[in-house]
Amino acid sequence: MIHALQTLLLVIFPVLVIVAALRDATSYTIPNWIPLSLVAAFPIAAVALGMPLHDIGMQAAVGVAALAVGMGMYAARWIGGGDAKLFAAAALWIGWPATMTFLGMTGIAGGALAVSLLGLRSAMVRPYMPSGPAWFARLVEPGQNVPYGVAIAIGALVAFPTSALIAHG
């Protein structure tokens, strides 16, 4: 029963970052309940997995640092507010040293996403794009933003298996 509960708690993270990515791709918004749920579930998961208090503190420090960086990126208008909150909540779960993988993979995924969207939004490709749902038409519309929550989710999912939380699970 304990292992089932631990597994269930560990599934919360990937499910919520995938939901955030899908919401960002389809609506350019990440609802506040997603990062708030991640932050609220983290201490429960950490305690249930037997993570030592000093490790929980280190995870929290990484999350606070990520929030400061995310707020800076938001202030510079590089990412949206929901992206900044998701970035911080994901960093809380991932912790140190897996944060380096998270940052690197998020950057690579963000670059690939931006280049892909530029290609889809180009005058040469756009006439051949199939019609689809309104969210897809908005996604490939020239001049639209990049739903960076998708890149954050990819980076988080790649880094999560190497996180300190998983090591304690």
Side-chain angles (χ1 to χ4, degrees), residues 45-147:
V47 169
L49 292 166
M51 182 176 263
L53 191 55
H54 64 85
D55 288 351
I56 293 172
M58 177 61 88
Q59 300 278 113
V62 169
V64 168
L67 182 60
V69 169
M71 289 170 55
M73 291 189 295
Y74 172 71
R77 302 183 70 129
W78 294 343
I79 63 173
D83 300 326
K85 291 178 270 189
L86 179 63
F87 181 72
L92 170 67
W93 277 75
I94 291 167
W96 187 259
T99 300
M100 302 315 316
T101 303
F102 172 50
L103 292 173
M105 291 308 300
T106 298
I108 291 168
L113 179 63
V115 168
S116 298
L117 288 176
L118 283 173
L120 290 173
R121 293 171 179 174
S122 73
M124 290 177 58
V125 174
R126 198 152 153 63
Y128 300 103
M129 294 302 298
S131 61
W135 67 266
F136 184 76
R138 188 173 55 250
L139 190 64
V140 298
E141 182 69 31
Q144 287 289 331
N145 292 328
V146 174

